[in-house]
Amino acid sequence: MQAKNQARSTCPISFALEIFGDRWTLLVLRDLLLRGRRRYRELLRSEEGIATNVLADRLKRLERRGLIRKLRDEADGRQFVYAATPLAISLVPMLIEMIVWGARSDSGSDVDPAFIARFETDREGLIAEIQAEVRRSNGLA
Amino acid sequence: MQAKNQARSTCPISFALEIFGDRWTLLVLRDLLLRGRRRYRELLRSEEGIATNVLADRLKRLERRGLIRKLRDEADGRQFVYAATPLAISLVPMLIEMIVWGARSDSGSDVDPAFIARFETDREGLIAEIQAEVRRSNGLA
DNA sequence: CTGTATCCTTAGGGATACTG
DNA sequence: CAGTATCCCTAAGGATACAG
């Protein structure tokens, strides 16, 4: 008896939603990919106030799905860090589009205008830079 | 006493998730924006099998949020159609990125390779074309 | 520090019957 | 056709105490 979720469709959006179609997963990925948070406690203290059990659950799911890996901190062997895999890093373009959409749609958002300007004029470069930064910080694990 | 959801953050991703951070909303938007489904019954018979009450609820939320409008069908005054607003249409780039990510990540997805090829070589054109098609079909309401 | 374990409550959502 | 209205049940998720 294989794990049978819920009648998997062949639609890629449906597939994506299986991974981050909930209220918390994408916020964790945001913190990992765009805010350089790599430790449990860092992820825990995000503005939205995720609960400890929920965070633990999301980290496990993301690891099972191959979006993150849990590594021992090289600087301090007693600590752990979560590193984004290439699969997660390839999600950056979508996250950027979501940020830009949200920033344009919500007057109450606090996105740096320089970020939007950069997006308008050099989308590819912006994405490449963010992805490079994640890879770099992964290397420093 | 204003409607107070849940400690709104100023993050645009958080904002976006308030609108479509669940298992169904984005599928409805997919059908409206990318599959030309405009009627209740059309939206209802998507492969994922949304329940009638859930669909009705999502359509109301989307209308309240300004992503769709419910219009009388001009061809048949007794029927209704749901039309994507510019706000929803501006979500197309993000949806496209999600599709491409899902298609690349899921071997079981059934995305047309020609779609991916077009994305690789002419992303802007592809997006513009899809958006134009939605606007056109809205005009025909 | 990095989580587990519990408890408890609510929202989400499937099934289905029904209505204008 | 285009939804409403229920019923019912489970999964999601807060709060908090505890553990390695």
Side-chain angles (χ1 to χ4, degrees):
Chain A
M1 224 194 280
Q2 306 291 61
K4 174 189 160 215
N5 296 356
Q6 57 213 65
R8 268 296 317 284
S9 101
T10 53
C11 167
I13 293 183
S14 205
F15 171 78
L17 290 177
E18 281 177 31
I19 297 179
F20 50 76
D22 69 277
R23 236 145 171 42
W24 290 109
T25 303
L26 223 42
L27 295 175
V28 174
L29 287 168
R30 172 200 66 186
D31 290 348
L32 282 165
L33 292 167
L34 307 177
R35 297 185 171 177
R37 314 246 169 114
R38 302 170 50 76
R39 294 188 171 71
Y40 191 86
R41 68 170 178 284
E42 293 173 335
L43 295 166
L44 201 56
R45 61 161 193 241
S46 267
E47 64 205 280
E48 287 88 3
I50 191 170
T52 67
N53 53 345
V54 176
L55 176 57
D57 174 77
R58 293 308 186 274
L59 289 171
K60 267 180 201 143
R61 290 195 205 186
L62 286 172
E63 194 171 16
R64 264 188 275 117
R65 290 290 201 165
L67 280 90
I68 63 176
R69 279 178 310 147
K70 182 180 183 175
L71 305 173
R72 215 161 266 289
D73 186 342
E74 309 228 329
D76 179 350
R78 299 162 309 181
Q79 305 215 153
F80 295 100
V81 291
Y82 292 94
T85 64
L87 184 57
I89 293 173
S90 70
L91 211 48
V92 166
M94 196 215 70
L95 274 176
I96 299 300
E97 294 296 334
M98 192 177 296
I99 288 172
V100 171
W101 183 84
R104 286 176 175 152
S105 310
D106 178 21
S107 56
S109 89
D110 65 348
V111 177
D112 183 354
F115 181 91
I116 304 293
R118 174 78 188 277
F119 174 85
E120 313 272 21
T121 59
D122 180 31
R123 178 177 175 277
E124 296 305 315
L126 175 62
I127 290 172
E129 192 174 305
I130 292 172
Q131 293 180 322
E133 170 62 21
V134 177
R135 288 192 199 95
R136 196 189 60 74
S137 108
N138 277 354
L140 297 182
Chain B
M1 224 195 275
Q2 307 293 62
K4 174 188 160 215
N5 297 355
Q6 57 212 64
R8 268 295 321 283
S9 99
T10 54
C11 167
I13 294 183
S14 205
F15 171 78
L17 290 177
E18 280 178 32
I19 297 179
F20 51 75
D22 70 278
R23 232 138 175 48
W24 290 108
T25 304
L26 223 41
L27 296 176
V28 174
L29 287 168
R30 171 201 65 186
D31 289 348
L32 283 166
L33 292 167
L34 307 177
R35 296 184 172 179
R37 313 244 170 116
R38 303 169 51 74
R39 294 187 170 71
Y40 190 87
R41 68 171 178 281
E42 294 172 334
L43 295 165
L44 200 56
R45 61 164 192 240
S46 266
E47 64 204 283
E48 287 88 2
I50 192 170
T52 66
N53 53 346
V54 176
L55 175 57
D57 174 77
R58 292 308 185 274
L59 289 171
K60 267 180 201 144
R61 289 196 206 187
L62 286 171
E63 194 172 15
R64 263 188 275 115
R65 291 292 200 164
L67 280 91
I68 62 176
R69 279 176 311 148
K70 182 179 181 175
L71 305 173
R72 216 163 266 287
D73 186 341
E74 310 228 329
D76 178 351
R78 300 162 309 181
Q79 303 217 154
F80 295 102
V81 291
Y82 292 93
T85 64
L87 184 58
I89 293 173
S90 70
L91 210 48
V92 167
M94 196 215 72
L95 273 175
I96 299 299
E97 294 296 334
M98 192 178 295
I99 289 173
V100 171
W101 183 83
R104 286 176 176 152
S105 309
D106 178 21
S107 56
S109 88
D110 66 349
V111 177
D112 183 355
F115 181 93
I116 304 294
R118 173 79 188 277
F119 174 85
E120 313 273 20
T121 58
D122 180 31
R123 178 179 175 277
E124 296 304 317
L126 175 61
I127 289 172
E129 192 173 306
I130 293 171
Q131 293 181 323
E133 170 62 20
V134 178
R135 286 191 200 98
R136 196 189 60 75
S137 107
N138 276 354
L140 296 184

